[in-house]
Amino acid sequence: MTVTEKNGAVIVEGVKDFDLDHIFDCGQCFRWERRDDGAYLGTARGRQALMSYDSSGQELTIYGADKDDFEEVWRDYLDLDRDYGAIKAELAAGDPVMSRAISFGSGIRILKQEKWETLLSFIISQNNNIPRIKKCIESLAQTMGRPSGEFMSRQFYSLPDPERLAGASVDDLAPCRLGYRARYLIDTARQVAEEGLESLERLGTEEVSSQEAFDALLGYCGVGPKVANCIALFSMNKLDRFPIDVWVRKVMHRLYGIEENDMKRMAAFAADNFGHYGGIAQQYLFYYITHCKEI
DNA sequence: GCCCAGGAGAAGG
DNA sequence: CCTTCTCATGGG
């Protein structure tokens, strides 16, 4: 992987197992949007960027970033130092269903997102659909957040920090159209503000096990098993977490023959067959069932 | 109009 | 412990 800088952009060569559509449209993140040319414009970790990828040359271009930005943020955010080729081979071995899912979503990577943002995002996600989740998050940023910079003729906003949201009322959040979830956000923000953001950050460290992080996340209002698994997987590097939503239930039933409401058996099946990469396996399955027309 | 969405909290068994 | 009901909103 070689990194060069060219008039306001970073060019990364030798990026394998990578596809922007797979990464940004597999339901793990909500603040990137696809342009007609296939590039993605969005924001993460307080920065803005435009990303394009040339698959024939295995070349990733990040506009609005220099080498320092790449080393400080984007290399880690995009999980570029992980060998997904090896992970895919391990998951696909002896599993024709997973093999199909992997070849369909071969460029998926698990982004390393901010914990507070991911906590908010997936509380909003409950009993909601992805287009509306994106609208809610954008609206929350514009209503309660701060301007984080202008890029590509667009003004971007950060999400409100825990203290700001803790001081808000349900009426303050009314413009965001969050429905009954507004109360959950405020309640959780108060808890995080009281505990300190460090206690949330600590859950993402090596010293906190996957199970411990999961249990701790269940303590926030609006966070149940599915949402806790998403937060642990998408922002805390707990790659064995296996979130089970309506889509995963469908795919586990249709392709693996597990009874559709038997969540315990699904979780056990994932632990037995996908092991410490259960969360990555889940993303291949989720992308497969939500995007493949002939399944 | 209708069903549904990356579900969880509350109430009642 | 498990099952059922309810929740606000708008996409398709």
Side-chain angles (χ1 to χ4, degrees), chain A residues 88-89 91-105 256 288:
Chain A
K88 289 191 283 187
L91 288 172
D95 187 338
V97 168
M98 183 57 64
S99 297
R100 272 183 283 142
I102 286 175
S103 58
F104 188 79
Y256 287 107
Y288 190 42

Side-chain angles (χ1 to χ4, degrees), chain A residues 8-24:
Chain A
V10 167
I11 298 171
V12 191
E13 294 173 285
V15 178
K16 294 185 289 185
D17 308 303
F18 190 96
D19 186 302
L20 292 170
D21 289 324
H22 299 170
I23 292 168
F24 290 127

Side-chain angles (χ1 to χ4, degrees), chain A residues 73-207:
Chain A
V73 171
W74 301 119
R75 176 194 285 272
D76 182 63
Y77 178 74
L78 296 167
D79 205 18
L80 292 180
D81 291 319
R82 194 181 303 280
D83 184 357
Y84 279 78
I87 295 172
K88 289 191 283 187
E90 184 179 325
L91 288 172
D95 187 338
V97 168
M98 183 57 64
S99 297
R100 272 183 283 142
I102 286 175
S103 58
F104 188 79
S106 59
I108 287 174
R109 281 169 182 267
I110 308 287
L111 298 170
K112 295 187 184 175
Q113 304 182 68
E114 288 183 298
K115 296 160 196 67
W116 169 241
E117 173 180 331
T118 309
L119 176 56
L120 292 183
S121 297
F122 280 90
I123 289 175
I124 292 171
S125 80
Q126 67 154 291
N127 200 28
N128 209 342
N129 56 61
I130 291 180
R132 215 175 79 82
I133 295 166
K134 290 181 176 176
K135 284 187 177 178
C136 288
I137 292 172
E138 245 4 85
S139 176
L140 181 63
Q142 289 187 18
T143 306
M144 301 284 300
R146 296 162 167 271
S148 63
E150 190 184 332
F151 180 61
M152 303 292 288
S153 313
R154 261 193 55 184
Q155 178 63 50
F156 287 83
Y157 294 86
S158 63
L159 287 166
D161 57 40
E163 290 74 18
R164 173 90 166 97
L165 198 52
S169 67
V170 171
D171 287 342
D172 294 331
L173 295 184
C176 304
R177 313 304 290 162
L178 297 162
Y180 62 91
R181 306 170 194 85
R183 185 172 60 81
Y184 297 168
L185 288 187
I186 294 169
D187 196 338
T188 287
R190 288 179 180 161
Q191 188 175 341
V192 172
E194 189 175 338
E195 294 171 349
L197 200 52
E198 318 82 56
S199 69
L200 186 64
E201 293 292 335
R202 200 183 72 82
L203 299 179
T205 62
E206 289 282 341
E207 58 185 285

Side-chain angles (χ1 to χ4, degrees), chain A residues 33-41 50 152:
Chain A
E33 71 179 46
R34 188 183 201 279
R35 306 199 317 180
D36 291 337
D37 62 1
Y40 278 80
L41 176 63
L50 175 71
M152 303 292 288

